[in-house]
Amino acid sequence: MSSSPVFVTRPVLPSLTDIMPFLERIWTSRVLSNNGPLLQQFEADLARYLGVEFLSIVCNASLGLVLALRHYGITGEVITSPFSFVATSHAIRWAGAEPVFADIDPHTLNLDPAAVEASITPRTQAIMAVHCYGIPCDTEGLAAVARRHGLRLIYDAAHAFGVRKNGHPLVAEGDLSVLSFHATKVFNSFEGGAIVSPDRETKLALDRLANYGIVDEVTVSEIGLNTKMSELHAAVGLALLPRIDEIIDARDHLANRYWQALSQVPGLHCLCPPGQPGQNSYMFPIRVGPEYPMSRDALHARLKEDGIFARRYFHPLISDLPMYRDLPSAAPENLPNARPAGEQILCLPLYPDLPEADQDRVIGIVSQPC
Ligand SMILES: *Cc1c(COP(=O)(O)O)cnc(C)c1O
């Protein structure tokens, strides 16, 4: 095929015109990092957009998750999802804790509260759940399990930028929620992330942990890390934030086109129906079932022949990676829903400026692969 390749995602950039005034402020102030004026403004504007009161911007979500666990001193078992990006479990290990995998719900692809409860031992200290593809977890179910057993509930909200559940910001759920502003996410600052806190005291404690544990010129209260965001990254975020509604609308439009074209294809199940209030259309995952004319992997390869690079998120499962697969909780019998999800789900190309003609090439093959 001579047509240009289509990748699963393509980052959104602010215009150079929009970012220039922020860069001029940096060059004038010579403040490059350490809670500078742009970072403070980015924090305030983001909090307002997300509808939360307290958040700490950090340099990426992976370290945000590590700080969240360190804040609560969690070094025991943390129950988490095998159906996620590898950073979720890696963060648990970097915090010095132990991931324990529990199964997911086959419809939401998120941790199943009953499976979580069945995985609790005397060593369990926390649950780290993921709102996979921006689909909300059963937040009430998970909160009930956490409450019954005295566990912390931390959300990896890397996919959940701007998502609302019953009109409320999803990132306000749990003890802490961690967002990612990596280049490939719904909203980006090239690299970046944020931790949403329930109160000012927690926010300030996380800010301190993000800055080596420094309290003042002569006082260091704990073994903190450096997870600060630079003014340059804050400038990117500030220049892009005013366009976020337009970005999500463009995603919704394309997700809707996929839905119209693919939801009736025999053997395919589209996991994210459009038109749900508060969704962010981060991904368009399809489940390739046994009645479809070919397997998920064959469809993935077929698309590749035409230069279309769909992605098998999440395959392999985290629990199948070499550093985790020997854990007792990684056993296939423990993960009866996660296993087929890892083998059947394919995420189709979706980004705000994906040309409809390219999307139609994807649709043409997926709707009639043979
Ligand atoms: C991207 C991602 C992360 C890591 O975010 P970074 O900001 O790149 O560190 C963590 N969890 C999930 C589910 C992700 O998709």
Side-chain angles (χ1 to χ4, degrees), residues 54-56 71-72 176 197-209 222:
F54 304 104
L55 62 79
S56 303
H71 172 68
Y72 293 119
L176 296 171
S197 287
D199 50 53
R200 182 175 306 281
E201 200 184 5
T202 308
K203 173 197 159 34
L204 294 177
L206 286 162
D207 288 345
R208 199 164 56 236
L209 258 186
E222 67 211 300

Side-chain angles (χ1 to χ4, degrees), residues 105-123:
D105 175 287
H107 305 290
T108 64
L109 306 173
N110 294 322
L111 274 181
D112 171 0
V116 169
E117 191 152 38
S119 305
I120 292 172
T121 75
R123 303 197 52 239

Side-chain angles (χ1 to χ4, degrees), residues 27-72:
W27 263 249
T28 305
S29 72
R30 296 235 193 157
V31 178
L32 310 188
S33 189
N34 290 55
N35 202 25
L38 296 191
L39 195 281
Q40 288 182 30
Q41 188 185 336
F42 187 23
E43 243 175 37
D45 289 3
L46 254 182
R48 194 174 321 112
Y49 178 79
L50 294 170
V52 299
E53 217 173 336
F54 304 104
L55 62 79
S56 303
I57 291 180
V58 288
C59 58
N60 61 57
S62 301
L63 287 169
L65 291 168
V66 173
L67 291 198
L69 291 163
R70 291 279 299 203
H71 172 68
Y72 293 119

Side-chain angles (χ1 to χ4, degrees), residues 223-272:
I223 303 173
L225 203 56
N226 175 7
T227 66
K228 301 188 301 292
M229 175 181 276
S230 80
E231 290 287 278
L232 209 47
H233 291 86
V236 177
L238 278 169
L240 193 59
L241 192 57
R243 286 181 44 210
I244 186 63
D245 286 333
E246 171 200 321
I247 288 168
I248 294 177
D249 286 350
R251 288 183 166 279
D252 286 345
H253 171 72
L254 291 162
N256 197 43
R257 288 187 92 246
Y258 271 137
W259 177 267
Q260 296 300 332
L262 300 177
S263 60
Q264 303 301 322
V265 173
L268 277 193
H269 176 59
C270 301
L271 286 135
C272 298

